[in-house]
């Protein structure tokens, strides 16, 4: 069986969020069982000389020919292909810049989807695994051409749907018959994500709880009714991480490597981290948040709570990027409070160092399809504090009896408000005072298997079904 895994970003080639990490880890896990390769766009910031030319072909959309160059590289068992195409590959960012999303993203990723299908034919694949709206139109193109390729469509975050002007369909040679509510039409716009939902053989999301949540009005982002129509082919499979990349015993980003039996080195990382920031006193619990600074991730709840939070005997560090207003507010708070450090932006090495230095990770997400930070944190001996929602509900439990090989222990708050969040913080501080119990839980979390080893078998079942 040959599988092609398609995504708009794959670590380490391009990354804006968790999709890139999953697109690295999952195919690597699946490679033990199937012949799998990956495909992603070639972006303008990449260096062409680092890849080999695989093939060239032309696709036709709305009477316009687009010349496609396929590049490739191989790491371990997995080949990754790159689509070098007009518009798609000329940008210095993945989806947009400081002005907003690129106005031609419909054409950019429409070309990408068409190229994915052509590459699938040339590779003679049996299964095409699509991820998020950037690849969703491929399912429709396969249906239109009556190709015998099974399609799996994974929704990593329903909030991002690829919604464009309805004339986008004309630019991509998509028949107007698909512009209807039970197809791609969405409030007089074209919704690319709906193509993946309607025309794939199977739909997955990245956790069992999120698969149930998106069928409700609260979490359905306007598509709950549409998803209920296709719920028989919908399932939730919990994400995992690459436990080779995220391993504190070998991580080259760390000053001091460690494992569950050498946690004194984790403390050394904490001391070093505090020295590199304005934070003081390593005896204080260090809380961190590493995230996109958007409403989904709970940044407004955190800002609402931050004065009371910082009045407690703790240090807080936030690493992330958001809009100018949020970052300016956090900057001002950082200047006001000596126990608060804010780093604007995302730095892969800094994030690893932060996980290795922290006592607690904050994930007060309003909704969370799965989340990877909680897995990484527990792998690094950092205790998670999470809102009980989506994949966080499936992967972090406050009740020790619910802990499993693929699920760790943390502090969980159920009601999404300031009072319950701050009460959860108080429970973490109380737990930290019990040094023996806290260390035992941390060591137990570090023994959990957060890889894709088990989840990849669930995907394999869909591939061969």
């Amino acid at each position: 069986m040959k599988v092609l895994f398609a995504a708009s970003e794959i670590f380490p080639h391009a990354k804006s969020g968790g999709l890139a990490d999953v697109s690295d880890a999952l195919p690597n896990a699946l490679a033990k069982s199937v012949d799998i390769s990956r495909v992603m766009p070639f972006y303008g910031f990449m260096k062409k000389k680092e890849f080999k030319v695989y093939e060239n072909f032309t696709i036709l959309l709305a009477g316009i020919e687009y010349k496609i160059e396929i590049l490739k590289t191989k790491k371990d068992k997995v080949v990754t292909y790159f689509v070098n195409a007009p518009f798609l590959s000329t940008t210095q960012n993945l989806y947009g810049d400081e002005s907003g999303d690129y106005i031609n993203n419909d054409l950019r990723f429409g070309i990408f989807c068409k190229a994915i299908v052509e590459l699938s034919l040339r590779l003679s694949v049996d299964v095409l695994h699509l991820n998020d709206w950037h690849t969703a139109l491929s399912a429709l193109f396969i249906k239109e051409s009556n190709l015998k390729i099974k399609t799996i469509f994974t929704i990593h975050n329903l909030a991002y749907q690829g919604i464009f002007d309805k004339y986008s369909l004309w630019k991509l040679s998509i028949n107007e018959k698909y512009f209807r509510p039970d197809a791609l039409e969405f409030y007089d716009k074209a919704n690319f994500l709906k193509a993946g939902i309607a025309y794939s053989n199977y739909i997955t999301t990245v956790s069992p709880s999120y698969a149930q949540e998106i069928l409700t009005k609260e979490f359905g982002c306007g598509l709950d009714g549409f998803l209920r129509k296709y719920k028989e082919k919908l399932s939730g499979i919990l994400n995992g991480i690459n436990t080779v990349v995220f391993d504190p015993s070998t991580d080259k980003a760390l000053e001091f490597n460690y494992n569950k039996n050498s946690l004194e080195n984790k403390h050394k990382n904490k001391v070093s981290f505090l020295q590199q920031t304005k934070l003081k006193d390593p005896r204080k619990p260090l809380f961190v948040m590493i995230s996109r600074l958007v409403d989904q991730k709970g940044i407004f709840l955190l800002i609402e709570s931050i004065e009371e939070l910082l009045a407690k005997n703790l240090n807080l560090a936030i690493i992330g990027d958001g809009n100018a207003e949020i970052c300016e507010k956090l900057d001002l708070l950082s200047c006001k409070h000596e126990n608060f450090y804010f780093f604007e932006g995302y730095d892969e090495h800094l994030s690893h160092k932060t996980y290795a230095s922290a006592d607690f990770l904050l994930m007060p997400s309003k909704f969370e399809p799965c989340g990877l930070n909680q897995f990484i944190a527990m792998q690094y001996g950092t205790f998670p504090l999470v809102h009980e929602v989506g994949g966080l509900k499936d992967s972090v439990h406050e009740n020790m009896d619910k802990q499993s090989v693929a699920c760790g222990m943390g502090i969980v708050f159920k009601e999404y408000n300031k009072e319950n969040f701050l009460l959860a913080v108080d429970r973490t501080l109380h737990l930290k005072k019990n040094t023996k119990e806290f260390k035992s839980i941390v060591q137990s979390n570090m023994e959990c298997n957060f890889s894709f080893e088990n989840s990849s078998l669930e995907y394999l079942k869909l591939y061969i079904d």
Side-chain angles (χ1 to χ4, degrees):
M1 177 188 295
K2 295 187 72 174
V3 179
L4 182 62
F5 185 97
S8 59
E9 53 185 87
I10 301 173
F11 179 82
H13 307 291
K15 176 176 176 177
S16 72
L19 172 61
D21 292 315
V22 172
S23 301
D24 165 49
L26 177 55
N28 280 320
L30 286 164
K32 298 174 183 177
S33 306
V34 295
D35 180 0
I36 188 167
S37 54
R38 302 179 291 204
V39 60
M40 64 171 287
F42 178 85
Y43 294 108
F45 57 81
M46 295 177 173
K47 297 178 181 179
K48 188 175 176 181
K49 65 182 180 181
E50 295 179 356
F51 311 107
K52 295 181 180 179
V53 176
Y54 173 70
E55 197 165 356
N56 292 276
F57 54 80
T58 301
I59 60 173
L60 185 68
L61 293 171
I64 300 174
E65 287 190 347
Y66 297 96
K67 293 181 179 180
I68 307 297
E69 180 182 50
I70 303 296
L71 308 171
K72 67 179 284 189
T73 188
K74 185 175 183 179
K75 182 181 179 184
D76 299 324
K77 292 183 178 180
V78 183
V79 173
T80 303
Y81 298 96
F82 301 83
V83 175
N84 186 10
F87 305 109
L88 176 66
S89 303
T90 56
T91 63
Q92 291 302 309
N93 297 297
L94 279 64
Y95 315 120
D97 53 27
E98 61 277 0
S99 301
D101 292 343
Y102 295 126
I103 60 173
N104 64 346
N105 273 347
D106 55 345
L107 180 60
R108 293 179 69 227
F109 289 102
I111 292 171
F112 180 49
C113 288
K114 195 73 172 179
I116 289 171
V117 175
E118 181 61 31
L119 180 62
S120 298
L121 290 171
R122 290 169 184 257
L123 295 174
S124 300
V125 305
D126 303 293
V127 177
L128 178 58
H129 189 156
L130 305 169
N131 294 272
D132 278 349
W133 72 262
H134 319 87
T135 63
L137 289 178
S138 296
L140 174 56
F141 292 146
I142 285 173
K143 176 188 179 296
E144 274 286 274
S145 301
N146 293 311
L147 301 178
K148 293 182 178 179
I149 299 175
K150 180 186 288 186
T151 50
I152 314 295
F153 181 60
T154 299
I155 300 170
H156 294 260
N157 193 332
L158 190 64
Y160 301 94
Q161 300 179 9
I163 298 173
F164 302 99
D165 189 282
K166 59 186 176 183
Y167 296 108
S168 298
L169 303 185
W170 175 83
K171 288 189 286 186
L172 300 174
S173 295
I174 295 174
N175 193 299
E176 63 181 8
K177 70 180 181 180
Y178 292 105
F179 191 71
R180 60 180 196 271
D182 63 341
L184 304 189
E185 191 269 337
F186 188 73
Y187 297 98
D188 205 38
K189 300 277 189 179
N191 186 317
F192 286 13
L193 188 83
K194 291 181 73 179
I197 294 170
Y199 304 116
S200 292
N201 296 98
Y202 292 103
I203 311 162
T204 70
T205 64
V206 290
S207 69
S209 288
Y210 190 60
Q212 297 302 311
E213 289 172 351
I214 61 176
L215 300 178
T216 67
K217 187 175 182 180
E218 181 181 2
F219 295 100
C221 300
L223 292 180
D224 49 294
F226 192 69
L227 283 160
R228 286 195 295 271
K229 178 180 177 181
Y230 295 102
K231 67 179 181 180
E232 297 305 316
K233 63 177 182 178
L234 170 66
S235 62
I237 302 174
L238 192 66
N239 269 343
I241 58 173
N242 186 327
T243 51
V244 175
V245 172
F246 296 107
D247 182 351
S249 69
T250 58
D251 192 336
K252 293 181 180 179
L254 308 188
E255 289 185 59
F256 305 97
N257 292 110
Y258 62 95
N259 57 37
K260 68 183 182 69
N261 296 317
S262 56
L263 290 174
E264 64 276 5
N265 277 358
K266 179 174 172 63
H267 183 74
K268 290 179 183 178
N269 284 307
K270 178 181 180 179
V271 171
S272 177
F273 181 84
L274 297 185
Q275 289 173 346
Q276 294 170 38
T277 66
K278 68 169 190 175
L279 301 175
K280 301 174 183 178
D281 193 353
R283 293 171 297 180
K284 289 183 178 180
L286 174 59
F287 287 74
V288 302
M289 182 177 183
I290 305 168
S291 175
R292 290 180 292 113
L293 306 178
V294 294
D295 187 33
Q296 176 209 332
K297 298 297 184 179
I299 189 60
F300 293 117
L301 177 62
L302 186 61
I303 289 174
E304 180 189 355
S305 312
I306 203 163
E307 293 290 348
E308 290 93 331
L309 181 64
L310 293 174
K312 302 178 188 294
N313 186 37
L314 56 82
N315 282 314
L316 173 65
I318 296 179
I319 315 295
D321 197 12
N323 66 41
E325 185 178 348
I326 291 173
C327 290
E328 184 178 347
K329 187 153 194 169
L330 292 173
D331 269 330
L332 290 172
L333 286 165
S334 180
C335 292
K336 178 181 176 183
H337 297 277
E338 65 174 12
N339 59 335
F340 175 40
Y341 172 75
F342 171 55
F343 177 87
E344 181 181 353
Y346 182 78
D347 182 280
E348 189 73 21
H349 278 75
L350 177 60
S351 72
H352 284 233
K353 290 180 179 180
T354 306
Y355 284 119
S357 304
D359 297 300
F360 299 103
L361 174 79
L362 297 176
M363 290 190 73
S365 303
K366 181 177 285 187
F367 68 94
E368 191 62 72
C370 181
L372 299 180
N373 292 26
Q374 74 275 24
F375 297 129
I376 301 168
M378 289 187 283
Q379 185 89 348
Y380 281 66
T382 298
F383 197 88
L385 186 161
V386 307
H387 177 218
E388 189 181 58
V389 69
L392 298 176
K393 182 178 181 180
D394 295 328
S395 58
V396 180
H397 294 295
E398 192 162 342
N399 185 343
M400 194 67 167
D401 295 336
K402 293 184 178 181
Q403 190 180 33
S404 68
V405 173
C407 176
M409 186 176 176
I411 295 295
V412 179
F413 67 101
K414 296 183 179 182
E415 297 297 322
Y416 191 76
N417 57 49
K418 173 181 171 180
E419 180 183 3
N420 280 279
F421 171 61
L422 289 172
L423 285 172
V425 172
D426 287 339
R427 293 203 301 280
T428 65
L429 293 172
H430 177 74
L431 178 62
K432 186 71 166 65
K433 291 177 182 178
N434 189 334
T435 306
K436 186 176 180 180
E437 182 183 2
F438 182 74
K439 182 179 179 180
S440 175
I441 295 170
V442 164
Q443 289 175 321
S444 180
N445 281 348
M446 293 179 78
E447 291 177 342
C448 294
N449 182 1
F450 300 120
S451 74
F452 264 108
E453 181 180 338
N454 294 319
S455 294
S456 65
L457 299 179
E458 296 301 311
Y459 282 105
L460 188 61
K461 289 177 184 177
L462 296 180
Y463 291 172
I464 64 178
D465 184 39

